[in-house]
Amino acid sequence: MHPRQSIIEIFSTFVQFDADRFSHWATESRLRSSMQGCVKRTPQETSEYFWALYWYKFWQLPESQSLAKQHLTAYLQESCYWISQKTVNGFASTQYQLSDCFQVAIAHIDRVLKGFNPSQGHTLKNYAGPIFASAIRETLRQRHEVDICTDWGLLRKVSHKRLQEALENAGLSQEDIHAYILAWNCFKTFYVPTTTGTSRKLSRPDDQIWEAIAKAYNSQSNQQIGIPTLEKWLLTTAKATRKYLYPTPESLNITQGGDNSWELIDNLPGNQQPSLIQEIIAQEEEQTRTSQQTEINQVLVTAIAQLEPEAQQIVQLYYAEGLNQDKIAKQLEMKQYTVSRRLTKARENLLKSLANWSRDTLHISITPDLLKSMSTVMEEWLQSYYGVSPE
């Protein structure tokens, strides 16, 4: 798989398979038009993380949720592909291929979006990975049960709660659901496997059992329903249950109101866009600051651990216990100027580590003025880290 390059591609193209292998990126024209409009209005934003957060914000708005979901589904294609490949390779044996696992995972995009919280410091891709992997494992385990059961075996195994959810998901009326569940209860009462471990492979009930099921149903419902109708109801129930436990991913090629000229970008609420962008920028900047602060902490903690033991002790006494250089010299039985020199050397080593991190990570040039500013920041950090200001 070759990675997508531009922001427009990342948020408007989808994986296409050929013989269970990646074939190419297919462009959804309406999503592409949508992203072209966004990028044109905000050309300075070139980060995929910015646009992921942007569409996540729009996903939270009911009027633009469908559009945002499609853009985010496109965005997570690569993450879903690699997670699917890794997960399916981890199974010793499965009849499901990479493309099957990919479809299983991407069908759980709603689960990803509902659980994602950008304030916790995760990126959407990092958060989605474990969700996709879990969804694949759960579904393959569930599908195995569904696949190896006959319709009658499935009806014996399914719980009342799952059965009702499946019928509701199929769009049946409450009256029909009540009738189907009553028929199912009668079926379970009179069709009990006689041999342990054979419930998955149950065949159609015999005529005697059907008569008992029909008699029980008619008695409890005060109706006269024939065996063919009851059998049809139960098979419909099994079909709805299998479909509910084995969902088919919905198509992303959706138009609005049957209007072929519909443009996705037209659904963006114009009076909300500027404030949303400002909010996203502020949130992204806050996340960046938080991330950088965490890295600075780690850099300085590591630098302290790399100091010589005696230098670490001097720094500890100076910042944690608040001793001045004279008191440190007396406690360590050394000259005051030795303490001063080693304390200065320790600070220089810490500042050097911080400067190297800034150069390598933030890609900024180190100037005398910047070093002076960094020295001030480092001093404040040391006082905060050790908890007591020096005398």
Side-chain angles (χ1 to χ4, degrees):
M1 167 189 279
H2 63 272
R4 295 171 291 183
Q5 300 298 324
S6 72
I7 291 297
I8 293 175
E9 285 182 313
I10 290 172
F11 287 89
S12 64
T13 59
F14 298 86
V15 170
Q16 296 296 297
F17 289 92
D18 181 18
D20 203 48
R21 298 183 63 182
F22 172 80
S23 173
H24 63 280
W25 290 106
T27 300
E28 213 296 325
S29 60
R30 289 170 177 157
L31 295 185
R32 183 177 180 84
S33 175
S34 169
M35 280 308 301
Q36 285 174 334
C38 290
V39 171
K40 184 177 181 179
R41 287 191 298 271
T42 319
Q44 71 275 16
E45 298 300 341
T46 59
S47 166
E48 66 176 75
Y49 305 109
F50 170 87
W51 289 109
L53 190 58
Y54 174 89
W55 287 116
Y56 174 75
K57 290 290 184 181
F58 270 112
W59 175 80
Q60 295 175 309
L61 303 175
E63 63 270 26
S64 56
Q65 190 174 77
S66 176
L67 166 66
K69 176 182 173 182
Q70 293 177 63
H71 277 299
L72 293 172
T73 303
Y75 172 61
L76 292 174
Q77 293 284 293
E78 284 169 317
S79 174
C80 184
Y81 179 90
W82 296 118
I83 287 294
S84 300
Q85 185 178 76
K86 180 179 179 180
T87 304
V88 74
N89 288 342
F91 285 96
S93 176
T94 178
Q95 61 178 310
Y96 298 101
Q97 298 180 317
L98 170 60
S99 56
D100 299 317
C101 292
F102 178 88
Q103 294 300 327
V104 166
I106 207 66
H108 286 76
I109 184 70
D110 285 329
R111 178 178 167 189
V112 172
L113 298 178
K114 289 176 182 177
F116 177 60
N117 185 351
S119 65
Q120 295 180 348
H122 302 294
T123 66
L124 183 59
K125 277 186 176 180
N126 288 342
Y127 179 79
I131 302 295
F132 285 150
S134 175
I136 293 171
R137 289 192 294 268
E138 290 173 6
T139 305
L140 290 190
R141 198 158 44 238
Q142 188 181 75
R143 286 186 177 186
H144 183 62
E145 288 295 320
V146 173
D147 287 350
I148 64 179
C149 286
T150 64
D151 286 340
W152 311 109
L154 182 60
L155 290 173
R156 284 288 314 171
K157 290 176 65 65
V158 69
S159 68
H160 183 282
K161 179 176 181 293
R162 284 294 180 88
L163 185 75
Q164 181 156 339
E165 290 173 350
L167 293 174
E168 290 173 350
N169 185 67
L172 297 178
S173 67
Q174 287 301 313
E175 182 180 355
D176 285 343
I177 290 175
H178 177 76
Y180 285 23
I181 289 178
L182 178 56
W184 172 73
N185 279 323
C186 294
F187 164 81
K188 288 195 70 175
T189 300
F190 291 99
Y191 192 20
V192 181
T194 56
T195 305
T196 303
T198 61
S199 61
R200 291 174 174 171
K201 299 298 184 182
L202 285 181
S203 57
R204 179 184 179 279
D206 60 29
D207 292 343
Q208 185 177 357
I209 292 175
W210 274 118
E211 290 175 3
I213 293 171
K215 182 178 180 179
Y217 180 88
N218 292 329
S219 173
Q220 295 179 49
S221 66
N222 294 321
Q223 298 183 44
Q224 291 300 313
I225 303 298
I227 292 175
T229 299
L230 289 172
E231 182 173 0
K232 179 181 178 181
W233 287 359
L234 288 171
L235 289 174
T236 298
T237 300
K239 181 179 179 180
T241 301
R242 200 179 297 276
K243 184 176 181 180
Y244 180 68
L245 297 179
Y246 194 161
T248 301
E250 57 186 50
S251 172
L252 290 170
N253 297 321
I254 301 172
T255 59
Q256 178 133 342
D259 181 4
N260 292 330
S261 63
W262 176 71
E263 290 292 339
L264 297 178
I265 196 65
D266 293 340
N267 263 4
L268 294 179
N271 61 340
Q272 293 174 336
Q273 183 188 358
S275 60
L276 270 177
I277 288 182
Q278 292 166 6
E279 180 184 346
I280 293 167
I281 291 173
Q283 187 168 352
E284 188 179 58
E285 289 175 348
E286 178 61 30
Q287 289 179 343
T288 300
R289 286 194 295 270
T290 301
S291 176
Q292 289 178 357
Q293 186 61 52
T294 300
E295 292 185 40
I296 289 173
N297 290 342
Q298 187 58 53
V299 168
L300 292 175
V301 168
T302 301
I304 289 173
Q306 292 174 346
L307 295 174
E308 294 180 356
E310 190 176 72
Q312 289 187 44
Q313 188 177 16
I314 291 173
V315 171
Q316 172 78 18
L317 291 172
Y318 185 76
Y319 287 101
E321 300 186 23
L323 301 183
N324 60 27
Q325 294 182 15
D326 287 333
K327 291 181 179 179
I328 294 173
K330 290 178 182 179
Q331 182 168 325
L332 298 182
E333 298 180 347
M334 61 176 61
K335 299 294 183 179
Q336 183 274 332
Y337 63 81
T338 302
V339 172
S340 178
R341 185 171 65 247
R342 293 182 179 175
L343 182 60
T344 299
K345 182 65 174 177
R347 286 170 171 156
E348 289 175 352
N349 286 337
L350 298 181
L351 183 59
K352 181 179 179 180
S353 296
L354 188 56
N356 288 339
W357 173 83
S358 300
R359 181 196 64 204
D360 298 338
T361 303
L362 303 182
H363 307 292
I364 57 178
S365 300
I366 306 301
T367 64
D369 288 341
L370 181 59
L371 279 176
K372 183 178 179 180
S373 176
M374 292 173 62
S375 179
T376 301
V377 170
M378 185 190 72
E379 192 68 20
E380 293 174 354
W381 182 89
L382 285 168
Q383 293 178 15
S384 174
Y385 178 73
Y386 285 102
V388 180
S389 298
E391 295 178 2

